[in-house]
Amino acid sequence: MCGFIASFSSLNPHFSSFRASLDRLATRGPDAEGFWQEPGVFLGHRRLSILDLSQRANQPMVSRTNRFIIVFNGEIYNYRSLRSDLVKLGHKFRTDTDTEVLIELYSRYKSSMLNSLEGMFSFVIWDTFEQYAFAARDPYGIKPLYLGTSSHSCILCSQVKPIILSGLVDASRDPIAHASFLLFGSIFEPHTTYRQVQSIPAGHYIYIRNSIPESPIPFFDFPSIWSSPNPASSLSKSQVQLHTSALLKDSIHRHLVSDVPVGLFLSAGLDSATLAGLCREATQDPLHAITIKFKSQSTSHFDETEGASLVSRIYSLDHYIREIHQSEFLTDLPLIIDSMDQPSIDGVNTWYASKAASEIGLKVALSGIGGDELFWGYSTFSTVPALLSLYNLLSSVDPSNSIVSSLFNLISVLTGNPRWAYAPNWLNHGIAGSWCLARSISVPNRLPCDLVEQLLDYPYALSSSFWPLFDTPDIPLNSKYAVAYLESSRYLRNQLLRDTDWSSMHHSVEVRTPLVDSTLLCNLSPFFDMFSQFPRKCLLTDSLKKPLPRSILSRKKTGFGIPINKWMKESNSGFCTWPSFVSSHFFS
């Protein structure tokens, strides 16, 4: 895991233009720094050594022919088999890294090489002969890749803030990003905090010629996984369980590939607990499990240390419980907000889990995020279709929607939740609107007046409901598949994965996600039709040889309680809530 910046400009900027940007990426790669440049081109890299720890594996890396130069962030888990295939074709290697495998694959297969990769990645390759750049991002969007543009330059980077630090891209704030954060607690791609910086779509690649980026091209059709999953209808329930167990274990084996020790983040939840058991089945090497406990009476109901300790004992893990107090949080607050690359209402839990991993010397940790999206664990899988069905029923009786609006207004008053008053507006947009209603933390008519004025002047056409901000043109027709797609492409990608990246990389820790894996997703898709026969994610938990204890299996699903608002209020910081604090930092 690393960080990089790649600039292509007609102005031929000097290395000094990127000094602050590379320094900003230092925690992503504390083990080595390198750069390569020619007129108009700069490639800079910070390395966190995970595979082949020698200096010969540093980046930017030049191909054997000296034609291609690469900067890469991520891990290619099947790189050894890909390397073996290339050796048979006559390729020679100087390192034992996935980076060199990438550059040799590209030299032979060009963009079609992306279809053979299993892992998480973003990278840029410069062709010194034909003078163009090729960049790509993994199918799920686990690894970020941002593009900043101006009239004379474009910059690709692992984070947003280093692009602005270069001084080559305008720093005007994006009002759509601000609205997205206020409505959902994170910024929906492709937007970022800044108008001139956008995210390269997951599962896409782009070419850059003459310092001008071309339109992104998809290489992985993410929506079609749920739109047409090709069901394996002839299989029995037990056969589906056996196939799923094998696929999960295969993903675990891939994600354990490393030349340094690997640990895992452990809560009392089903995803991380199952992950712990699968890791123990995969290896007898020592495994460190990290659990975070936030010390506050208000979070006692959410304390997961007892359940996590039980799981650790069952699977013989070295368990490290890290307790966080209010004083430590207030001391760390400037670091947390500074390391946050884009605004988020989440990520603090992973920030502290990564801090704990770093304290015990870990560079790599596995996380159980993605289990709810993949195995239908969220309440949204039932509430979102039900809410839409209710709305459609009421609308059929009341085509004018006057009674429907009055009903939802009444519910809003009785519950004190302003989102219900806005329900008819969003539910009118189908399943995606129902999902947005369930996932939103506010509604458009609660946005600040000055922000609304900015949005009305924005060059993109926006309806009064701001619906284009959340448009989903490729949504599957099946409601459960549609929710899975929305949870994965919106909440998981824009919140969980992004938060995991910035919060872990601040502590120089690589977090891997075995349940967020495009190979696993594709191989599981034929069984989607049978997922409803496996309640409470038992398709996941029953994959273990040594089962989880009943207390874990029957435990009520809870959020990860962090008393941030309570701590900030008691500190007299001037901010009553975490979202208002984050918003003021990024958009004031």
Side-chain angles (χ1 to χ4, degrees):
M1 193 68 65
C2 309
F4 65 76
I5 186 166
S7 172
F8 309 95
S9 174
S10 59
L11 296 182
N12 191 23
H14 190 266
F15 167 78
S16 59
S17 300
F18 305 103
R19 179 69 272 167
S21 301
L22 278 173
D23 289 345
R24 182 77 200 187
L25 296 169
T27 61
R28 299 187 72 96
D31 296 329
E33 177 186 274
F35 67 92
W36 183 94
Q37 59 185 345
E38 66 177 49
V41 179
F42 176 88
L43 303 177
H45 190 267
R46 297 291 312 224
R47 184 186 180 205
L48 180 65
S49 304
I50 304 295
L51 299 172
D52 189 341
L53 309 184
S54 66
Q55 291 185 1
R56 64 187 178 183
N58 290 346
Q59 301 180 45
M61 184 177 289
V62 182
S63 67
R64 288 183 305 108
T65 61
N66 293 320
R67 175 175 177 174
F68 301 105
I69 298 95
I70 186 172
V71 284
F72 163 52
N73 170 34
E75 299 292 348
I76 307 301
Y77 301 124
N78 63 332
Y79 82 98
R80 284 177 179 147
S81 64
L82 295 173
R83 186 181 193 272
S84 177
D85 292 341
L86 288 169
V87 168
K88 292 175 184 177
L89 294 171
H91 289 254
K92 299 184 184 300
F93 290 85
R94 296 165 293 183
T95 71
D96 185 27
T97 66
D98 48 357
T99 308
E100 191 175 15
V101 170
L102 280 177
I103 202 168
E104 292 301 316
L105 279 171
Y106 187 76
S107 70
R108 176 170 285 272
Y109 300 111
K110 298 301 186 289
S111 65
S112 63
M113 53 90 83
L114 295 168
N115 298 316
S116 66
L117 303 181
E118 296 177 358
M120 53 181 182
F121 57 84
S122 65
F123 61 83
V124 179
I125 294 175
W126 175 247
D127 186 330
T128 61
F129 289 8
E130 297 191 14
Q131 294 287 289
Y132 73 87
F134 173 83
R137 186 182 179 202
D138 69 73
Y140 256 108
I142 303 171
K143 289 293 96 190
L145 182 57
Y146 299 104
L147 173 67
T149 57
S150 69
S151 59
H152 47 70
S153 301
C154 75
I155 300 177
L156 290 152
C157 192
S158 304
Q159 294 183 188
V160 172
K161 290 180 178 179
I163 294 177
I164 300 301
L165 282 174
S166 71
L168 298 174
V169 174
D170 182 74
S172 298
R173 300 299 200 274
D174 185 345
I176 287 188
H178 193 183
S180 178
F181 173 72
L182 293 177
L183 293 175
F184 288 91
S186 64
I187 296 176
F188 279 18
E189 295 185 355
H191 297 277
T192 74
T193 314
Y194 305 97
R195 293 192 187 208
Q196 296 305 121
V197 181
Q198 291 203 325
S199 179
I200 299 297
H204 285 63
Y205 63 89
I206 65 168
Y207 291 102
I208 298 170
R209 293 182 171 89
N210 299 317
S211 306
I212 300 173
E214 299 177 358
S215 298
I217 301 170
F219 67 88
F220 187 89
D221 190 358
F222 199 70
S224 70
I225 299 297
W226 286 277
S227 297
S228 52
N230 300 317
S233 54
S234 62
L235 295 181
S236 67
K237 188 175 178 180
S238 60
Q239 288 175 316
V240 170
Q241 180 66 71
L242 286 173
H243 281 294
T244 300
S245 299
L247 293 172
L248 287 167
K249 290 170 184 178
D250 181 58
S251 182
I252 293 294
H253 277 287
R254 287 199 303 273
H255 285 77
L256 288 174
V257 172
S258 175
D259 290 336
V260 297
V262 179
L264 60 100
F265 295 157
L266 180 64
S267 69
L270 296 179
D271 300 333
S272 68
T274 303
L275 190 65
L278 290 172
C279 285
R280 178 45 72 214
E281 291 179 21
T283 179
Q284 293 305 307
D285 293 339
L287 280 171
H288 290 280
I290 298 159
T291 302
I292 298 300
K293 177 179 181 180
F294 289 88
K295 184 64 175 177
S296 173
Q297 291 182 350
S298 64
T299 60
S300 58
H301 175 67
F302 301 100
D303 188 354
E304 305 201 1
T305 53
E306 183 178 349
S309 296
L310 176 59
V311 171
S312 291
R313 291 194 297 271
I314 290 173
Y315 298 119
S316 302
L317 309 177
D318 297 324
H319 196 198
Y320 179 45
I321 299 175
R322 180 62 158 80
E323 190 169 84
I324 312 299
H325 294 257
Q326 179 185 27
S327 58
E328 182 177 3
F329 169 74
L330 294 176
T331 299
D332 287 339
L333 186 55
L335 287 175
I336 294 171
I337 202 69
D338 183 63
S339 62
M340 186 181 289
D341 193 50
Q342 291 199 75
S344 172
I345 59 170
D346 206 348
V348 177
N349 50 354
T350 307
W351 196 91
Y352 275 109
S354 302
K355 181 179 182 180
S358 180
E359 288 171 347
I360 61 174
L362 286 177
K363 281 186 172 183
V364 180
L366 305 188
S367 168
I369 63 171
D372 284 313
E373 290 81 0
L374 187 57
F375 292 102
W376 302 7
Y378 291 129
S379 61
T380 52
F381 282 92
S382 56
T383 58
V384 167
L387 185 60
L388 183 62
S389 295
L390 174 62
Y391 171 76
N392 289 337
L393 176 63
L394 294 173
S395 297
S396 67
V397 178
D398 174 35
S400 68
N401 266 0
S402 58
I403 298 175
V404 175
S405 296
S406 298
L407 175 62
F408 280 113
N409 279 324
L410 178 61
I411 296 173
S412 177
V413 172
L414 293 176
T415 61
N417 187 339
R419 287 184 296 167
W420 286 114
Y422 213 81
N425 195 312
W426 273 354
L427 289 171
N428 191 46
H429 292 282
I431 194 76
S434 183
W435 180 86
C436 285
L437 180 65
R439 277 294 184 188
S440 63
I441 60 176
S442 186
V443 290
N445 59 6
R446 291 294 184 98
L447 293 176
C449 293
D450 61 334
L451 177 57
V452 173
E453 291 177 2
Q454 292 179 57
L455 287 165
L456 293 175
D457 291 335
Y458 204 70
Y460 298 115
L462 290 169
S463 69
S464 60
S465 66
F466 304 109
W467 185 252
L469 182 59
F470 319 115
D471 197 15
T472 51
D474 300 317
I475 192 165
L477 295 177
N478 180 293
S479 62
K480 290 291 181 70
Y481 296 172
V483 174
Y485 169 67
L486 289 164
E487 292 290 358
S488 299
S489 63
R490 298 301 188 270
Y491 179 61
L492 178 66
R493 183 179 299 159
N494 296 315
Q495 186 97 63
L496 300 182
L497 291 176
R498 186 187 300 154
D499 287 344
T500 296
D501 181 78
W502 66 258
S503 59
S504 62
M505 294 312 297
H506 176 81
H507 300 287
S508 308
V509 173
E510 173 181 290
V511 175
R512 299 179 178 180
T513 55
L515 301 180
V516 184
D517 181 270
S518 59
T519 302
L520 176 64
L521 176 68
C522 291
N523 290 334
L524 278 178
S525 63
F527 313 136
F528 284 171
D529 272 355
M530 298 186 69
F531 272 23
S532 59
Q533 300 181 38
F534 298 89
R536 287 187 56 80
K537 295 188 285 190
C538 65
L539 188 58
L540 171 66
T541 57
D542 287 353
S543 63
L544 293 169
K545 291 180 181 178
K546 182 184 287 189
L548 292 169
R550 185 179 300 275
S551 60
I552 298 295
L553 291 172
S554 61
R555 185 176 183 272
K556 183 179 179 181
K557 187 176 181 63
T558 61
F560 191 36
I562 308 175
I564 293 179
N565 291 336
K566 178 177 181 291
W567 284 349
M568 293 187 69
K569 186 176 181 180
E570 291 174 352
S571 70
N572 297 316
S573 64
F575 293 92
C576 296
T577 66
W578 177 246
S580 64
F581 177 76
V582 174
S583 180
S584 68
H585 178 81
F586 280 88
F587 295 106
S588 61

